[in-house]
Amino acid sequence: MSILEMKNVGVTLGNTAVLDDISMRVAEGEFISILGPSGAGKSTIFRLLTGALQHDRGAITCNGRPLAQNQQGFAFMPQRDALMPWRRILDNLTLGLEVQGMTRKDARDRVMLFLHDFGLIGFEQHYPAQLSGGMRQRAALLRTVVQARPVQLLDEPFGALDALTRTRMQKWFEERWRDARWTTVLVTHDVREAVALSDRIYVLSCRPACVIAEVAVPTARPRMDRAITAEAHALEAHLLDILLNQTGDQI
Amino acid sequence: MQRPLPRRPGEGLTRGFPAVLSLVSAFAIWELYVRVSGISPLVLPAPSRVLDQMVLNRAILWHNTVPTVKATLAGFSLSLTVAFVFSVVLDFTPRVRRALLPIFVVSQTLPLVAIAPLVVLWFGFDLTPKILLVTLVTFFPMLVALLDGYAATDPEIEDLLRAMGASRRTVFRRARLPSAMPYFFAGLRISITYAVVAAIFAEYVGARAGLGIVILNAKNSFRPDLVLAAVVISSALTLVLFAITALLQRIFLRWRDLGDGR
């Protein structure tokens, strides 16, 4: 059964049609990527799901029920890490749990269980400004998954990192994901990242966005610690071809 | 990874040295000029004479400093409280904000010279008019500092909190209020210097005691040395209050002193 389903969803902001016709579904434990040219409205989909925006057409259901306001189905990780500079790392990590109403102590106990896997041991009392970009990103990711929501929404989580750190983070993230199997929707414009991490990939057109391709990635995991397979390579080429020639993106 | 705070013992002394040097030279030149030119102390008293007068009149000066400190602190506390309450109300209700903000702006256009005697006329020679005048002068900068601070909140942090299911109140408490703290302290440092001046001016217009009264009486009896003695005390008072706010800022904004680790 799908944990999240979008049917013919459309959004118009002012006079601009941002999403035209978006249909997608996410099953439990699945890793989905949304791939598209910049400005296609990928992040708009997340704004719909987190309740920052209302859709005009179509239906969104979470666990079979219509997405209601204040329904907490999703844990969201924004593009930049959005760590609060005035809170220590530990207090940043517990933020989501505290907002849910958990006591600070219980929230800390919960977060502590994850610190090792996220490479943040010894940095709990640091402020975000004292951490490297990769560590901040891991902290932001931990802040997201510790909330234990049914679906994780990751908005270009590795986009701001340098190439080397990004590859390391993707590899690390694949390991974490293989352990935990979080149901995940990843927004990205990085074809290689999408192919490396996803079970399925939705490709969006330019604005107003609709789904122009749905591609399954059959490659066995783990994928990041081996040389890239011919199969994955062909898939990347295929996706790049779609993005370059079929999104309606004119330069 | 952790960057140590850029402080070494004794560094403050070394950094403060040029300021001390220029201050001491200014007073030395002043003293020298008065002695060489033989100018009357009724026109320009030498720093040494001002110092003598401070020691000589220490009982009177102390007796008059206390009410000024009281008026400053009481007025400033009231101002902070009112500014905070209004900032919260205005932040939560844009309609009230549109209605009230112009009134506050107009309150800043009132010349203190005209308003102060009226406030004294209405509220008498006690502490009340001084508190009100200090509040009038410092309220607006504090309110603006807080409102600007709220507005400077990173929208991504607010989106994140809302995605976590936070209410408007929670977003305010967890994101907008802490974001405003650097602005709050910037406003605090400016306002506290206005506060002392406002208190002294309010006393000058009408009071039973206070540094403003000392200045008024000294001026009327042609004693510039005593005027300057009161000025020295008011400057020292302002500096102490300024140092306290700077210290509070250091404590509460520790996270801002840390280097960017990237």
Side-chain angles (χ1 to χ4, degrees), chain B residues 4-19 250:
Chain B
L5 294 176
R7 281 184 84 185
R8 288 188 304 276
E11 196 185 40
L13 279 178
T14 323
R15 283 169 59 106
F17 184 69
R250 254 196 116 79

Side-chain angles (χ1 to χ4, degrees), chain A residues 3-143:
Chain A
I3 199 160
L4 166 66
E5 192 156 3
M6 301 179 77
K7 267 190 195 146
N8 312 108
V9 170
V11 173
T12 306
L13 293 176
N15 294 322
T16 320
V18 183
L19 301 181
D20 178 32
D21 181 5
I22 303 289
S23 298
M24 51 181 68
R25 68 203 148 67
V26 184
E28 175 133 31
E30 213 178 8
F31 197 120
I32 298 296
S33 283
I34 301 174
L35 196 61
S38 13
K42 303 187 290 285
S43 299
T44 307
I45 295 178
F46 278 6
R47 291 177 65 79
L48 288 179
L49 296 178
T50 55
L53 210 65
Q54 297 296 311
H55 53 286
D56 309 320
R57 303 179 298 280
I60 304 177
T61 54
C62 182
N63 277 323
R65 288 180 304 148
L67 185 73
Q69 255 184 322
N70 301 325
Q71 179 187 339
Q72 291 310 310
F74 308 98
F76 171 56
M77 175 172 169
Q79 241 171 62
R80 289 178 296 123
D81 52 58
L83 293 169
M84 294 177 171
W86 57 85
R87 283 189 154 218
R88 294 170 191 276
I89 290 300
L90 186 59
D91 299 322
N92 264 292
L93 297 178
T94 56
L95 185 67
L97 297 173
E98 284 181 57
V99 169
Q100 282 180 35
M102 195 181 275
T103 65
R104 179 166 289 196
K105 187 184 174 304
D106 289 350
R108 287 186 169 190
D109 289 347
R110 171 89 76 86
V111 163
M112 287 295 187
L113 301 175
F114 290 83
L115 283 180
H116 178 262
D117 280 349
F118 281 72
L120 292 167
I121 292 227
F123 292 93
E124 307 94 303
Q125 297 302 325
H126 285 49
Y127 286 97
Q130 296 172 291
L131 265 54
S132 68
M135 291 187 96
R136 292 172 63 119
Q137 227 50 32
R138 287 205 298 273
L141 199 64
L142 173 48
R143 179 190 59 197

Side-chain angles (χ1 to χ4, degrees), chain B residues 59-90:
Chain B
I60 296 169
L61 286 171
W62 172 251
H63 173 72
N64 285 289
T65 302
V66 174
T68 306
V69 172
K70 270 189 193 159
T72 304
L73 292 182
F76 199 58
S77 309
L78 180 68
S79 167
L80 283 187
T81 312
V82 177
F84 178 71
V85 170
F86 271 106
S87 77
V88 175
V89 172
L90 266 53

Side-chain angles (χ1 to χ4, degrees), chain A residues 201-236:
Chain A
I201 300 168
Y202 289 99
V203 186
L204 300 191
S205 69
C206 273
R207 222 154 60 182
C210 51
V211 176
I212 50 172
E214 183 191 335
V215 179
V217 186
T219 318
R221 296 177 201 269
R223 301 166 182 163
M224 288 299 292
D225 44 0
R226 293 182 268 172
I228 194 159
T229 62
E231 183 184 43
H233 202 74
L235 206 54
E236 279 176 25

Side-chain angles (χ1 to χ4, degrees), chain B residues 30-85:
Chain B
W30 177 358
E31 181 82 36
L32 203 69
Y33 172 77
V34 171
R35 289 188 183 215
V36 171
S37 69
I39 191 168
S40 160
L42 289 178
V43 179
L44 182 68
S48 58
R49 190 187 166 95
V50 174
L51 211 63
D52 280 347
Q53 288 303 317
M54 284 178 73
V55 177
L56 217 60
N57 296 294
R58 58 184 180 278
I60 296 169
L61 286 171
W62 172 251
H63 173 72
N64 285 289
T65 302
V66 174
T68 306
V69 172
K70 270 189 193 159
T72 304
L73 292 182
F76 199 58
S77 309
L78 180 68
S79 167
L80 283 187
T81 312
V82 177
F84 178 71
V85 170

Side-chain angles (χ1 to χ4, degrees), chain B residues 167-251:
Chain B
S167 62
R168 176 73 174 80
R169 259 181 65 186
T170 307
V171 172
F172 180 82
R173 192 164 68 89
R174 303 268 189 198
R176 294 179 78 82
L177 194 56
S179 295
M181 281 306 108
Y183 291 77
F184 171 78
F185 278 104
L188 198 65
R189 292 213 315 258
I190 296 171
S191 301
I192 197 78
T193 59
Y194 293 169
V196 180
V197 175
I200 289 177
F201 189 77
E203 288 164 355
Y204 190 87
V205 169
R208 296 203 174 86
L211 286 176
I213 289 298
V214 172
I215 292 172
L216 181 69
N217 291 339
K219 184 206 75 165
N220 287 342
S221 46
F222 302 101
R223 290 291 301 276
D225 48 354
L226 267 180
V227 172
L228 288 172
V231 166
V232 169
I233 293 178
S234 101
S235 293
L237 186 59
T238 308
L239 284 175
V240 167
L241 292 174
F242 187 85
I244 291 173
T245 57
L247 187 72
L248 288 176
Q249 173 172 351
R250 254 196 116 79
I251 293 168

